[in-house]
Amino acid sequence: MFELMKLPYAQDALEPAISKETISYHYGKHHQGYVDNLNKLIKDTAYEDMELKEIVREASAQTPRNDKTNSLFNNAAQVYNHNLYWNSLKPDEPVGIGMSKAAEAYISEYWGSVDRLKETITNVSTKLFGSGWVWICKHEDDSPFVRATHDAGTPLDDPLVTPLLVIDVWEHAYYLQYKNDRSAYIDAIWPVINWDNLA
Ligand code: FE2
């Protein structure tokens, strides 16, 4: 059985970018709900003893997916995606500290500049129709890239790709503060991104 991961910071630690109220609902209701659903779906099945990534991959590989494997994939993937999301964020302490030199050097090497990467993430986020996720992943040769997935989609389908960082762009991630303005949420989130996931 799975448990909701422990949040690596207090629920008000990402303010003002992400409010305590947003995290309270997002982590305490949405993420918890995916964990609870997943546990119900795997109970007394062969999935019960599998690791989370394995369940995501197994459920994703079922073709055609029926309602049960669809639910299993959606809930397992949403647990995995949210786990990485919370670990892709960190408090901006001390305020304005910015990213580490190592992360900045890594980003500059592959994207030319931090602004260029932010622009790419903003474009991919705002062009994604409906709910989804924006990822920074790396290929087998360690070169990183930005991509989006729809709904509960994850890059785990491709064994040659490693997800490093993810931003949740479902409306439940920002609606309480930013209403329907996804780009305002993305603009506000930079100081609390855990860029050390990259370097
Ligand atoms: Fe979410």
Side-chain angles (χ1 to χ4, degrees), residues 39-197:
N39 283 332
K40 279 183 210 147
L41 288 162
I42 62 172
K43 191 170 167 24
D44 300 325
T45 73
Y47 293 103
E48 205 167 14
D49 297 322
M50 288 186 193
E51 292 195 1
L52 184 58
K53 280 186 190 177
E54 211 183 338
I55 298 176
V56 174
R57 288 186 175 126
E58 284 280 330
S60 173
Q62 303 285 331
T63 49
R65 285 193 211 157
N66 57 29
D67 285 349
K68 181 145 191 202
T69 45
N70 250 337
S71 285
L72 184 63
F73 172 79
N74 287 335
N75 286 285
Q78 285 295 76
V79 173
Y80 171 83
N81 296 354
H82 282 92
N83 287 352
L84 184 60
Y85 174 63
W86 300 121
N87 282 315
S88 297
L89 301 169
K90 62 157 190 57
D92 181 24
E93 289 171 357
V95 173
I97 190 172
M99 64 178 64
S100 67
K101 291 283 175 214
E104 193 174 348
Y106 179 89
I107 291 167
S108 297
E109 180 185 348
Y110 286 104
W111 281 279
S113 70
V114 172
D115 283 348
R116 186 92 183 274
L117 172 58
K118 288 180 177 175
E119 204 177 300
T120 302
I121 291 172
T122 302
N123 284 338
V124 171
S125 302
T126 50
K127 281 181 184 152
L128 176 70
F129 184 78
S131 298
W133 300 84
V134 177
W135 306 78
I136 299 177
C137 302
K138 65 176 180 180
H139 294 293
E140 213 179 11
D141 66 1
D142 282 342
S143 60
F145 60 99
V146 175
R147 65 164 293 193
T149 57
H150 282 279
D151 301 323
T154 85
L156 293 179
D157 295 349
D158 185 344
L160 303 180
V161 163
T162 307
L164 301 173
L165 190 152
V166 71
I167 300 175
D168 189 340
V169 295
W170 284 55
E171 276 191 348
H172 68 222
Y174 56 87
Y175 197 83
L176 290 176
Q177 282 172 278
Y178 303 101
K179 302 302 176 236
N180 60 333
D181 192 348
R182 184 179 289 169
S183 63
Y185 159 65
I186 297 294
D187 278 351
I189 208 176
W190 303 127
V192 295
I193 293 284
N194 188 4
W195 298 107
D196 287 339
N197 277 14

Side-chain angles (χ1 to χ4, degrees), residues 4-37:
L4 180 64
M5 68 171 265
K6 193 171 173 344
L7 208 58
Y9 33 74
Q11 295 200 8
D12 62 356
L14 304 181
E15 290 191 339
I18 303 177
S19 70
K20 183 180 178 181
E21 189 187 20
T22 295
I23 293 191
S24 165
Y25 279 91
H26 195 179
Y27 170 75
K29 303 284 184 198
H30 292 277
H31 195 177
Q32 179 73 63
Y34 296 125
V35 172
D36 294 344
N37 288 339

